[in-house]
Amino acid sequence: MELRFGAVAHRAEVYVNGEKRGFHEGGFVPFCVDVTDCVRYQEENRLVVLVNNELSDTSLPAGETEILKSGRKKAVPYFDFFNYSGIIRPVWLMSTPRHRICDYSVRHEISGKDACTWYQVEIENPEPDIRMEVRLWDEEGKLAAYSEGMEGKLVIADVHLWEVRNAYLYRLELRLFQKDQLLDEYSEEIGIRTVRIQGTEILLNEKPIYLKGFGRHEDSPVLGRGFSLGFLKRDFELMKWIGANSFRTSHYPYAEEAYQMADREGFLVIDEVAAVGFVKRAGTAMFTAAGSGKRPESFFASPTVARLKQNHLEALKEMIQRDKNHACVIAWSLFNEPESNTVQAGEYFREIFEAAKAWDVQKRPCSFAMALSSQPEDVVCHQYCDFLCMNRYYGWYVKGGSEISDAKEAFLEEMERWAALDPQRPMIFTEYGADTLSYEHKLPSVMWSQEYQIEYLKMYHEIFDRYDFVRGEQVWNFADFQTVETTGRANGNRKGIFTRDRQPKDGAFLMRRRWLES
Ligand code: CKU
């Protein structure tokens, strides 16, 4: 008997009937606590979860904890989203057999009209006379492939591939037997597709794709970061309406239901681990409290970096472990806007990238989202990236309040330097956006007005369309979201194309025209 917590931000101690039964660090992935021998059957039991969301330079996400005069603690995030805490996703009580299927992984190969799905199943308490039957059912309920054994291959003739915004899901069924007795069974819907990078193209099923979509947040009024199937469904319907085909799980792994929905709807996901705030000064004081200033010259030169790396690797492993079989997950993002131009950063990055490749049987492309401080001449970390992810704010943090043509010129100048130095990899814009208040209108446009958001977006699109190596655009952000209180934020980050309660700003209609027409 186990308790399975979808996620508890950022760390949890679990007590059952007064006894400590588990601890988990990391607020965005599930964990289980075995309660077999401490629950009282047919009686009342007391479950207590002690939750802590303090931030430090070894937590993911990173930050500080300030002690206020009142003695109360205040989170000082090195990131731009509200530091919500608590049991943010569903909790399950699971009863499982002694011999159980505890994990599986799949990897696909396509040849002509057929496909081959390599699988590997893990079970608990194996015994010699235990055997596994594996079936793959198509959407009509017909058997598409069969195999036996803990690992092997499923050969699918005339395969129906999982395509962008045109998903096809088979049902993989695993059945564990001892003689003729069924011990355990598990089934899940899986999409069959391949993904790889060749030159400046991202190939899905060997065909080039272009990402259209958003950086998102798990954030909604009233619920904060609390999971809501209703909001998730609404978000997907809006993404379909606007013609998007992808999103990045900025800045942490989302609820499992989000990936299931993305699998079903054919959305491409860049899955991001919560390695955010890894800079010696948190972006600009514009969008987050500045912190104590105690941080050393290089974030990665801190004496606590070994502990940070351990937490980072653990969080990465847990994300890959959880999400590895999803067709929708086409890439891993291993950091958001870290320091990326010091020798120490280079060393740290190498290990993180190597781990991601080693742990993912599908060997998906890996990247990290680069801040403006990552410039082609001095960034030492982008060499590890299979594709480049750019977060750019020309016309907002850079040359905001000037003429949009000035911002364009500065942006073009940077693009030319990337084109000259690194033209051989795909580039995706994982952030570009302008804060926009849904009630603000002005001509000529000013920052924060709806007119300005449109002008800003159009300028970016003109530039994207000039470069063949640009293979995707994800606007920052899908919807307005809560942040810390600061002068640069109007009750939260307002860069949403939709408001926080999911109504369109004017920019939504521009995006819809662009994405549905191309
Ligand atoms: C976004 C310097 C850019 C950092 N990027 C990260 C993201 O989390 C923020 O919300 C910028 C912004 O709107 O400032």
Side-chain angles (χ1 to χ4, degrees), residues 3 5 12-16 19-22 31 33 47-49:
L3 280 167
F5 293 85
E13 280 179 29
V14 180
Y15 294 81
V16 179
E19 215 182 297
K20 183 169 165 185
R21 302 299 301 187
F31 62 95
V33 176
L47 170 64
V48 175
V49 186

Side-chain angles (χ1 to χ4, degrees), residues 325-369:
N325 293 324
H326 286 288
C328 65
V329 176
I330 56 152
W332 308 110
S333 167
L334 309 183
F335 300 80
N336 180 68
E337 304 199 337
E339 167 187 311
S340 61
N341 46 15
T342 58
V343 181
Q344 290 94 333
E347 193 47 34
Y348 186 106
F349 269 62
R350 192 179 48 76
E351 274 187 62
I352 300 289
F353 273 76
E354 278 174 11
K357 286 282 183 204
W359 290 329
D360 178 17
V361 291
Q362 293 192 3
K363 306 280 175 242
R364 290 169 177 87
C366 293
S367 189
F368 73 98

